[in-house]
Amino acid sequence: MPWLSLSWLGLRPVAASPWLLLLLVGASWLLARVLAWTYTFYDNCCRLRCFPQPPKWNWFLGHLGLVTPTEQGMRVVTQLVANYPQGFVTWLGPVIPLVNLCHPDMVRTVLSASAAIAPKDMVFYSFLKPWLGDGLLLSGGDKWSRHRRMLTPALHFNILKSYVRIFNDSVNIMHAKWKRLASEGSAHLDMFEHISLMTLDSLQKCVFSFNISTVHCQKPSEYISAVLELSALVTKRNEQIFLYMDSLYHLTSEGQRFHRVCRLVHDFTDSIIQERRRTLPDQGLDDLLKAKAKVKTLDFIDVLLLAKDEDGKELSDEDIRAEADTFMFGGHDTTASGLSWVLYNLARHPEHQERCRQEVRDLLRDREPKEIEWDDLAQLPFLTMCIKESLRLHPPTVGISQRGTQDIVLPDGRVIPKGALNVKGRSILGKKRGPIFGTHHNPSVWPNPEVYDPFRFDPENTKERSPLAFIPFSAGPRNCIGQTFAMTEMKVVLALTLLSFRVLPAGEEPRRKPELILRAEGGLWLRVEPLSAGPQ
Ligand code: HEM
């Protein structure tokens, strides 16, 4: 048997069996990896020293648990942003640093970095993958850029124009329900509950031309219930770190339920796509859709069936399903959160509420029925300012998560080292707290940031401000593709709601709760009072 000389280690020669050799190679590889990792870690620590950091609990815990997804956590972030207005580093345990950027000048570099340099952090998004597949929100690289180009026309204002009627219809149906509930004079309502059903209803009509109104019926449709349940299951998983591993999650009853409900949602979307395709053989897709466009609203599925890339290639059925499901997910809760918080802010500021109402009354004075049309949207400047200020104070998406795949150099020369961190917000634990909320509450950008003041968005007052001071829809290549859709819907819904109802606080102050979107613990309760229809 050959002998292995280990005299250089001060050891006696040992028999060189293949196993021992393998062990030695393995140990050397492991040692090299540990050394490389230690070096990178040390190097990153040195580079991160130029960022301020709040005091740690201790070297082991770092800042773990400092920012919780609660009202208290939101207050801590506000304080941290006030103390470190350019940004700061926090440590999740001993080895995971997080760079929190909260100033437009700093955020600019990361937001405008190409999607390849600062791709999304997929830890959290991977929970959505079985549901949303390779839709825009989750895809990356060439697939994302090809689809983004193909989908942009789906939200062109010519298409959006025709959705305004749908928004009017959905909100009117919700109001009819509110009037029934307020037959005694007023009603206490959880805004999130009512408004998210309404936004789902209108999205379902815009995406699929699906016409069973969910706000009509006492119970939401099976599809809408499924979308709500999937969102709730993902939120719950996000809060239970031991369920982050797919293999574990699939074993739980919730994991199995998630997959069953995903199947239901996919079957619904597939059946609509199949039905549209079935009508093709006789007519040809282009002719059919063009003919349809003349008589009815082109829905999102129609536009996707029509879409072709530069080489004339169409989207597959699977792609269309992923994009449609992504729009349903990305568009309902966010818009509902935006609307719920603007109603809350106007309930707390009756003077602004009254001014908005007057603006809408003046606009619709001689019109019957009282409907908002596309051209009216530009005639509601104060109402738009109120929505924007609410999106600043209560951004529906408080943070976004990206990872640096290369070093990112900030304008002041400091470097965010590659890979070691989340540069824009959500921690690896999936808790959002990123640049959107931080930047919107930064006192060096927004004096008295906790005050609701719509006049900050008076065109006179926005001239000097960086466009990146206000980023509820994010910015750069991966900004929200649905932002005009969302602003249009919010304007229509708010205008018609203030025309028909007075909104008042319901008692206790809500406690903010950042989940997938910014909610309030136990719901966001307000009191609504129907207004008489006569001349005011
Ligand atoms: C007030 C309402 C809304 C807010 C605050 C909002 C906010 C955002 C934000 C911050 C992002 C970036 C997410 C990230 O980088 O991780 C995003 C992306 C996205 N949003 Fe929205 N959104 C809203 C409404 C909508 C609507 C109505 C739709 C669809 C009809 C939509 C569809 C999407 C999609 C598809 C993406 C991914 C875009 C991409 O990566 O290319 N959103 N949204």
Side-chain angles (χ1 to χ4, degrees), residues 337-357:
S337 168
L339 275 164
S340 302
W341 285 109
V342 71
L343 285 170
Y344 160 79
N345 283 311
L346 292 178
R348 292 192 64 227
H349 295 274
E351 71 287 9
H352 299 324
Q353 183 179 154
E354 203 42 54
R355 186 166 168 176
C356 281
R357 184 172 294 118

Side-chain angles (χ1 to χ4, degrees), residues 178 180-189 191 526-530:
W178 285 12
R180 279 199 305 278
L181 292 170
S183 55
E184 311 273 287
S186 74
H188 277 71
L189 303 175
M191 289 295 130
L526 294 179
R527 193 151 64 84
V528 295
E529 257 178 32

